[in-house]
Amino acid sequence: MISEAALLAALAFSFTYGGRPSHEFLKTWAVERSERPLTANRIQRVESYTDKATGLVVRCESVEYVGWNTLEWTLHFRNAGTADTPIIEDIQALDARFQGPPKGEFTLHHHTGSPYTPADFQPFATRIPKKSETAISTSGGRSSNSDFPYFNIEWDGGGVIAVIGWPGQWAARFTRDDSDALRVRAGQQLTHLTLHPGEEIRSPLIVLQSWKGGRIASQNAWRRWMLAFNVPRVRGNLPSPQHTPCSSHQYGEMVNADEASQINFIDRYLQEGFKIDYWWMDAGWYVNKTGWPNTGTWEVDRARFPRGLRAISDHAHSKGVKTIVWFEPERVTPGTRLFVEHPEWLLSKGSGQRLFDLGNPQARAWLVDHVSNLIRQEGIDLYRNDFNMDPLDYWRAADSPDRQGISEIRYVTGFLAYWDELRKRFPDMLIDTCASGGRRIDIETLRRSVPLLRSDWLFEPESQQLHTYGLASWVPYYGTGTREIDPYIFRSNMCPAINSCWDMRRRDLNYDLARRLVEQWRSVAHYYSGDYFPLTGYHIGNDVWMAWQFDRPDLGEGMVQVFRRSASAYESARFPLRALTPEATYEIRDLDAAAPLKMTGREITEQGLPVSIRQRPGALTITYKRL
């Protein structure tokens, strides 16, 4: 493992200033350093470099997580002079060289993002030989739109996790020359700009976490760090597993819903014996002329909700149910109030819809106040923020040749400030990040929100197995929807958060089975916050089995999910589990079977957990507990 001191030394960045690379001059600038403890295991360090000739100040703010082999930092550029700076360009928030073992190889573990496919979050292992370069970036300006900003670089005996926090257009390059080192550069994809006097910008957040031993263990170290320091809390507690039903997929979103229908759905779920954590009201509750995509008039449609959404929220609250309400403030379409009354707040790339400019302080202040008032007036408990457009062309169309990248920077910092202010005003409220599904789930976004709909590719069971398989290595809390009352389909969709989309107007559904499946999910959902172990490879075909394990070492318990797909020829399999105590005895329970099985940890890890599934397709949920 890289020592923490060596990890600190790896802190590196680069940029070009006035046509010169920073390594040529930064060491000649005046430097100031400071250090202070933030908590018992977090130390903040600040390094500031000042160019006395132009007044540019480059400040690197880093945080060391003591005992976690983790370091993060963000760069800030401020013009403290009296004139515009020379051009600052090619800002690489990370520019570091990692030394592998002599004659060793580097393997880059990376994933697709969530571009609305069955294979969202697909894992890849790319070998990086000498004299080669691998370049990866997102597309369209949403941080996980095409590729995922989370990387694990492996070499013989260890490696380093490198993560980019930037809800915008990032890019990364992994380059080898003829040496045994790997150079990694990452940052905002395009920067070529001058700063005006008094102006300040920031870079993407960079996180490095070193490791030795096995890569799967390194991913679990990452998951633990995410849970310890990043997943947003409410009243000091991590989000609990959530059942969040909605009527959206019966009513064509909320466009055709009304007060009576929403109250009826809530009551029907409760009448059938389901516990509802949140009632989910999706797109379309606002004034719109042409359907839910017609966004930009953020007022409740009083024709369908004469007493506002408050009537539904109050009814839900009286039953012990909270509410989720969908917003999409960043996309503004023609004919709406914002489009007509405040064109100065909108970014354009020509005709058609506009982008609400969160980088405009006046616009952002209005939005914070307006949404805050709606949250209070309508009794909203969880703010769901969708984003169904690519912002990159809007940002770049707004930039002059000597200010390329500035609109994106202003927008990203404004977006984060918007959510920070909402969380400040409503400290007991979670935010749900959605951007056509999971297209904006970088770490800066996830420090403020949870992705309750990890992908817009929904319901189909094999794709949902693939989504969990890939995403769980990096993100410990996520959700998806389920629509069919079927054990194989429901278990394929099981997540820490479940959005059931059953048509409760029907009395002929198999509610006994649905209740049993939801109760089983509740009995095991707390295991999703444990360590994650894939037990099979990643498989797209239907002639295979897939399985994984979630282990809670603090409890001595865990669960295994196993799937036999429709074309698999095999009825039985054995899966060696991980992280069990060899000498201990474990009680193994198939949630569909009456009698438990007892095995030793050594038997389970060496011979494997025996599993039989006769039906095709079929799925089992199996728990284990150390006795």
Side-chain angles (χ1 to χ4, degrees), residues 77 87-91 141 166-170 187-196 199-204 347 357 359 391-414:
F77 294 76
I87 292 293
I88 308 166
E89 59 187 327
D90 193 26
I91 299 172
W166 187 248
Q169 185 71 16
W170 57 266
Q188 184 180 346
Q189 187 179 62
L190 174 63
T191 48
H192 177 94
L193 52 91
T194 182
L195 291 182
H196 303 318
E199 194 172 24
E200 182 170 332
I201 59 173
R202 61 156 284 185
S203 75
L347 297 178
D357 187 7
L392 184 60
D393 288 347
Y394 294 85
W395 295 333
R396 292 188 175 174
D399 290 342
S400 59
D402 64 346
R403 298 275 284 173
Q404 295 175 61
I406 194 70
S407 294
E408 177 181 347
I409 295 168
R410 294 283 176 246
Y411 191 97
V412 166
T413 54

Side-chain angles (χ1 to χ4, degrees), residues 17 19 98 135 155 166 171 202 222 250 256 280 294 298 332 335 382 387 460 487-488 511 567 610:
Y17 188 47
F98 297 98
W155 54 80
W166 187 248
R202 61 156 284 185
W222 172 267
Q250 284 76 46
N256 300 315
W280 181 316
N294 186 211
W298 294 106
V332 180
L382 193 152
F387 189 28
E460 186 272 322
Y488 178 75
Y511 289 115

